[in-house]
Amino acid sequence: MNQNDILKTIDMISKQNLDIRTITMGISLLDCVSDDAKVGAKRVYEKIVRQAKRLVPTGEAIESEFGIPIVNKRISVTPISLISQGCGDYILFAKAMDKAAKEVGVDFIGGYSAFVQKAATQAEKDFIDTIPDALAQTDLVCSSVNIGTTRAGINMDAVAHMGRIIKKSAELTADRDGIGAAKLVVFANAVEDNPFMAGAFHGTGEGDCVINVGVSGPGVVKVALENKKGQPFDEIADTIKRTAFNITRMGQLVAREASRRLNVPFGIVDLSLAPTPAIGDSVAYILEEMGLETCGAHGTTAALALLNDAVKKGGIMASSHVGGLSGAFIPVSEDAGMIHAVETGALTLSKLEAMTCVCSVGLDMIALPGDTPDYVIAAIIADEAAIGMVNTKTTAVRLIPVPNKKVGESVSFGGLLGRAPIMPYNANSPKEFIERGGRIPAPLHAQRN
């Protein structure tokens, strides 16, 4: 980097909310398997602490020495449904994860997860049933369930099950505005190296331990576009690509340095634009800078498609290994511009669903009325999974049916989770549709051999 690059990066950090959103250590727990839940949970705790004891101090040292903000230090682990099968007492593993995360000082730990995209064993069904209690009885544990893939189709029995699980997760944490549901993601085409919560887990194709980094920087992209008023989209795309390159180089630097200091292999840089509730640090503001009066107006999906593509094209040239989800996130509660658009009626649930066809992940951090039926939640999951399955992309749903809240009210989760307006949903019932069960077959283009 030359002097001009360094000065630009300093300006991005000090004035445009540029940060490393997370350093996430992925840890394999495959060697912790036991037929005794107490023994297995003890092994899980001990391995997490042993591997991650230096993660937070190392992140803080890099942050201090390089002057680069690192917002979160996190851990992801092998899906616990694989580690705990046959043990019976699954909650012990969630408590061991939580205790270990607190011991090493990380912000979150992900991996209380299951994979039922084609079918679920009885042990997996039993495990999924424990998710609401696990999230209610822990503070830092996050959970995810994969219910569909392009190759397998969509497990509609699991979709219906997850509608009930999300509802119960919110109800068991009603005293905290349903925060349990905010720590639970339902995926289609989940990836093994995602560093972002709540969907992070350490895939079985990963090594024993790895460092993954998630970058951010929507404020930087927005400022870069402020000087491009009236310019054609070719110029807009090129500007975003160049900006994403600079952002990702910073992520690569931090990832390599953390890997070296911890003596842990470098995995990937996830170059997603992850917003925060801070004013200016918004994906919605980027779209509006392209010429939309408000995010949600006609043209929003096209603008988001351009943004997502340009971010990937620019970022992928800046890192030796790009992975995770990579693109642009649109979590409502975590994005000041999205919150404003929802409150003014410009952005609806239907429009958000359309936007998920072209962005990273899906319907994220959306608050619904507390009396939303579980089959409506399941139908929203099914729609989003269908988008992922047909388009061969990762999609996800993180919905919070906030107990005792109605449309027009709002809920504040604090921190990066932000504030969410309670959004209306389509009142026409999908109950009979969801009750059919079975499996939606994989699309024809899944047969690629």
Side-chain angles (χ1 to χ4, degrees):
M1 298 181 74
N2 59 37
Q3 185 177 12
N4 190 47
D5 290 330
I6 294 170
L7 291 173
K8 280 184 179 178
T9 303
I10 292 171
D11 200 49
M12 290 176 183
I13 292 169
S14 62
K15 297 179 182 178
Q16 300 161 22
N17 297 309
L18 178 59
D19 58 45
I20 298 297
R21 187 54 46 85
T22 179
I23 294 179
T24 300
M25 175 178 280
I27 302 173
S28 173
L29 301 180
L30 292 174
D31 55 353
C32 298
V33 174
S34 171
D35 56 4
D36 185 310
K38 291 183 179 178
V39 173
K42 183 172 183 289
R43 290 175 179 172
V44 165
Y45 167 79
E46 290 174 347
K47 183 164 188 184
I48 293 171
V49 172
R50 183 170 66 251
Q51 294 281 20
K53 61 185 177 182
R54 293 174 49 231
L55 176 62
V56 172
T58 299
E60 291 173 345
I62 294 172
E63 186 175 16
S64 176
E65 291 174 32
F66 288 81
I68 300 172
I70 301 172
V71 179
N72 275 285
K73 294 84 178 174
R74 300 165 173 169
I75 295 170
S76 63
V77 298
T78 307
I80 294 298
S81 66
L82 303 178
I83 305 303
S84 61
Q85 283 200 25
C87 292
D89 198 346
Y90 303 109
I91 300 290
L92 283 179
F93 290 85
K95 291 181 175 178
M97 290 168 64
D98 199 51
K99 181 181 177 183
K102 290 175 179 175
E103 175 72 20
V104 299
V106 294
D107 299 280
F108 289 107
I109 183 168
Y112 198 78
S113 306
F115 291 80
V116 291
Q117 57 266 21
K118 202 167 188 179
T121 65
Q122 187 57 51
E124 286 166 330
K125 292 176 184 176
D126 293 343
F127 173 83
I128 291 173
D129 281 336
T130 69
I131 289 175
D133 286 298
L135 297 177
Q137 294 177 36
T138 59
D139 297 312
L140 306 181
V141 172
C142 294
S143 178
S144 59
V145 177
N146 194 66
I147 50 79
T149 66
T150 297
R151 191 75 177 180
I154 303 171
N155 182 350
M156 291 300 290
D157 292 321
V159 168
H161 195 183
M162 290 312 300
R164 297 187 290 271
I165 293 298
I166 289 173
K167 184 87 171 176
K168 187 176 179 183
S169 297
E171 290 170 350
L172 289 183
T173 52
D175 59 329
R176 290 168 281 167
D177 292 318
I179 191 71
K183 297 190 293 176
L184 172 59
V185 179
V186 183
F187 276 118
N189 290 322
V191 297
E192 295 190 327
D193 55 5
N194 165 30
F196 287 100
M197 299 296 169
F201 63 89
H202 187 71
T204 55
E206 299 285 318
D208 193 55
C209 192
V210 69
I211 288 292
N212 298 321
V213 165
V215 299
S216 184
V220 178
V221 176
K222 196 264 185 187
V223 170
L225 295 184
E226 288 176 357
N227 299 320
K228 302 297 176 181
K229 300 288 186 185
Q231 295 295 313
F233 285 114
D234 316 75
E235 182 69 21
I236 295 298
D238 190 61
T239 299
I240 294 171
K241 283 192 293 184
R242 292 174 184 274
T243 306
F245 180 89
N246 290 334
I247 293 171
T248 308
R249 288 301 285 177
M250 188 183 74
Q252 171 86 356
L253 171 67
V254 170
R256 288 290 189 189
E257 189 64 19
S259 170
R260 183 185 68 80
R261 295 187 185 197
L262 291 167
N263 195 29
V264 170
F266 160 53
I268 56 94
V269 173
D270 186 318
L271 49 94
S272 297
L273 294 182
T276 72
I279 300 299
D281 201 25
S282 162
V283 169
Y285 291 163
I286 299 174
L287 307 181
E288 291 167 7
E289 193 60 43
M290 292 186 199
L292 301 170
E293 180 179 357
T294 306
C295 179
H298 295 301
T300 297
T301 306
L304 184 59
L306 183 154
L307 173 64
N308 206 57
D309 179 65
V311 165
K312 291 183 178 182
K313 285 176 177 174
I316 205 164
M317 298 300 294
S319 175
S320 53
H321 297 289
V322 168
L325 302 170
S326 289
F329 289 176
I330 53 171
V332 172
S333 75
E334 300 173 15
D335 188 307
M338 297 285 177
I339 294 169
H340 173 74
V342 170
E343 290 179 330
T344 59
L347 186 59
T348 65
L349 198 55
S350 295
K351 186 61 176 177
L352 280 164
E353 182 181 302
M355 293 164 66
T356 65
C357 296
V358 299
C359 76
S360 295
V361 201
L363 296 171
D364 195 15
M365 286 305 292
I366 293 173
L368 298 174
D371 60 0
T372 305
D374 59 73
Y375 53 82
V376 169
I377 296 171
I380 295 172
I381 294 170
D383 283 343
E384 200 59 34
I387 290 172
M389 176 185 72
V390 171
N391 291 288
T392 319
K393 71 187 291 290
T394 302
T395 52
V397 168
R398 187 160 48 148
L399 302 174
I400 307 106
V402 184
N404 307 312
K405 293 285 187 178
K406 294 181 169 54
V407 174
E409 298 181 295
S410 66
V411 58
S412 179
F413 297 112
L416 287 178
L417 295 180
R419 177 179 67 86
I422 308 300
M423 297 185 67
Y425 58 88
N426 190 319
N428 295 284
S429 176
K431 188 172 188 291
E432 187 177 336
F433 173 78
I434 293 300
E435 287 178 346
R436 286 181 180 273
R439 181 154 53 100
I440 293 179
L444 183 61
H445 61 257
Q447 302 306 315
R448 293 178 176 174
N449 280 327

